[in-house]
Amino acid sequence: MDQQAIDKTSLPKHIAIIMDGNGRWAKERGQDRIYGHHEGVLSVREIVNVAGEIGIKYLTLYAFSTENWNRPKEEVAALMELLVATIRKEADELNKNNVRLHVIGDFAALPEVCQKEMNEAMGITANNTGLNLILALSYSAKWEILNAVKQISQNVQIGKLQPTDITDEIFHQYLSTHAFPDPELMIRTSGENRISNFLLYQLAYSELYFTATHWPDFRKKQFLQAILDYQQRERRFGMISEQIQTPQSENAKNQ
Ligand code: IPE
Ligand code: IPE
Ligand code: MG
């Protein structure tokens, strides 16, 4: 599988990935879970590079969920250390590749050193115009939606917003992904067929791709395969097949 198989004219603008299976991958090799997380970073690097190369504009990676705080404290500490070390090591490379880094999630819940490293990397890459790499850290979609609801309620209370003004577009502005389009494609590795509190609002019409491959084995070939699979699907958005195949202007005429 190489890049030629991909139709560059119908790429998803935004791909979101639940990077799952590091622990099981390590266990299968008689190693501890942390080893799997380290190997997972190699996949992150490769997928970020390929995504940038083929022209994906937004890549959201679910790196740490709110629920992941409940893991054994040694694993949480190791994950935070790995995050800091990886960003420290990769920030210049990301910058060189014109990647702009963003973080979504409960930023204040992250250890200070982690916040500092992230802020620096986001600062360095702030003017880049290539791939937008969005890391979901201490992220939970329910948390995000509830936050949006709280802010909207406050704005209604002070008269800044009328309840009748709350459209899908306005609601979007209150989400942490307000600057990004919704993902057309969501990939989850490692065989679990669930969303695990990831982008619940934004995934409303995403194509879902589940693969048994563990994250450390998910590389360029597997990523291109997922995009190819996406490109072979028909996205109907509630309409019927014939409408999708007819140009939009024709649809309007027929209504
Ligand atoms: C994904 O791999 C990484 C994080 C959630 C941080 P897991 O650590 O969930 O690996 P499994 O699912 O236990 O194999
Ligand atoms: C989801 O994976 C979170 C991340 C990949 C960061 P988990 O492994 O934490 O999810 P569950 O426990 O299988 O739902
Ligand atoms: Mg998991």
Side-chain angles (χ1 to χ4, degrees):
M1 159 115 263
D2 64 30
Q3 289 184 24
Q4 311 312 321
I6 303 293
D7 176 2
K8 295 279 169 59
T9 64
S10 68
L11 283 173
K13 277 201 248 346
H14 186 172
I15 300 179
I17 309 183
I18 302 178
M19 308 183 292
D20 196 19
N22 293 349
R24 277 165 285 170
W25 183 91
K27 215 168 156 194
E28 282 170 13
R29 284 157 182 77
Q31 303 277 354
D32 66 22
R33 298 177 51 84
I34 313 299
Y35 176 69
H37 296 314
H38 277 90
E39 288 296 306
V41 173
L42 304 180
S43 291
V44 171
R45 188 190 292 146
E46 185 163 322
I47 300 308
V48 169
N49 284 338
V50 180
E53 265 169 43
I54 64 174
I56 302 295
K57 290 306 291 178
Y58 303 89
L59 178 69
T60 299
L61 300 179
Y62 202 6
F64 194 86
S65 72
T66 308
E67 290 77 14
N68 289 149
W69 291 116
N70 298 323
R71 291 192 177 192
K73 71 174 189 320
E74 299 74 28
E75 180 164 345
V76 172
L79 280 167
M80 291 300 142
E81 271 170 39
L82 183 60
L83 189 62
V84 170
T86 304
I87 294 296
R88 198 169 281 162
K89 191 158 153 251
E90 302 289 335
D92 287 340
E93 186 71 12
L94 291 175
N95 194 26
K96 226 172 58 208
N97 292 337
N98 200 20
V99 175
R100 181 170 175 189
L101 184 70
H102 309 261
V103 175
I104 57 170
D106 187 3
F107 198 68
L110 297 170
E112 241 168 69
V113 52
C114 194
Q115 293 186 34
K116 187 173 157 277
E117 211 60 51
M118 289 293 154
N119 276 328
E120 267 179 39
M122 285 191 282
I124 292 172
T125 62
N127 295 321
N128 290 344
T129 54
L131 174 71
N132 287 281
L133 173 61
I134 304 143
L135 292 185
L137 294 175
S138 191
Y139 174 87
S140 132
K142 283 191 172 183
W143 169 87
E144 178 186 44
I145 292 170
L146 289 172
N147 258 347
V149 170
K150 282 181 205 162
Q151 284 179 47
I152 289 172
S153 314
Q154 276 161 9
N155 283 340
V156 167
Q157 201 173 31
I158 61 172
K160 237 176 104 179
L161 194 66
Q162 296 301 312
T164 46
D165 292 340
I166 307 167
T167 56
D168 175 34
E169 226 170 30
I170 296 288
F171 195 78
H172 247 266
Q173 291 170 12
Y174 288 83
L175 295 173
S176 54
T177 53
H178 57 86
F180 322 125
D182 286 347
E184 293 95 333
L185 172 62
M186 196 287 287
I187 299 169
R188 181 170 189 151
T189 60
S190 209
E192 308 299 354
N193 297 333
R194 56 175 169 257
I195 304 289
S196 298
N197 218 346
F198 188 43
L199 301 176
L200 291 179
Y201 194 82
Q202 299 87 337
L203 293 179
Y205 245 120
S206 304
E207 294 299 324
L208 307 181
Y209 181 87
F210 296 100
T211 170
T213 306
H214 294 316
W215 177 250
D217 287 332
F218 192 87
R219 298 294 170 94
K220 178 176 180 174
K221 177 167 164 256
Q222 289 75 14
F223 185 61
L224 295 177
Q225 189 61 51
I227 296 175
L228 198 61
D229 189 281
Y230 161 85
Q231 291 187 329
Q232 285 158 357
R233 298 184 189 188
E234 182 179 64
R235 306 189 75 206
R236 288 190 291 278
F237 301 100
M239 292 183 276
I240 66 166
S241 197
E242 287 76 3
Q243 290 173 293
I244 306 303
Q245 284 150 22
T246 320
Q248 282 305 315
S249 52
E250 288 292 315
N251 279 337
K253 256 192 269 167
N254 295 339
Q255 270 165 18

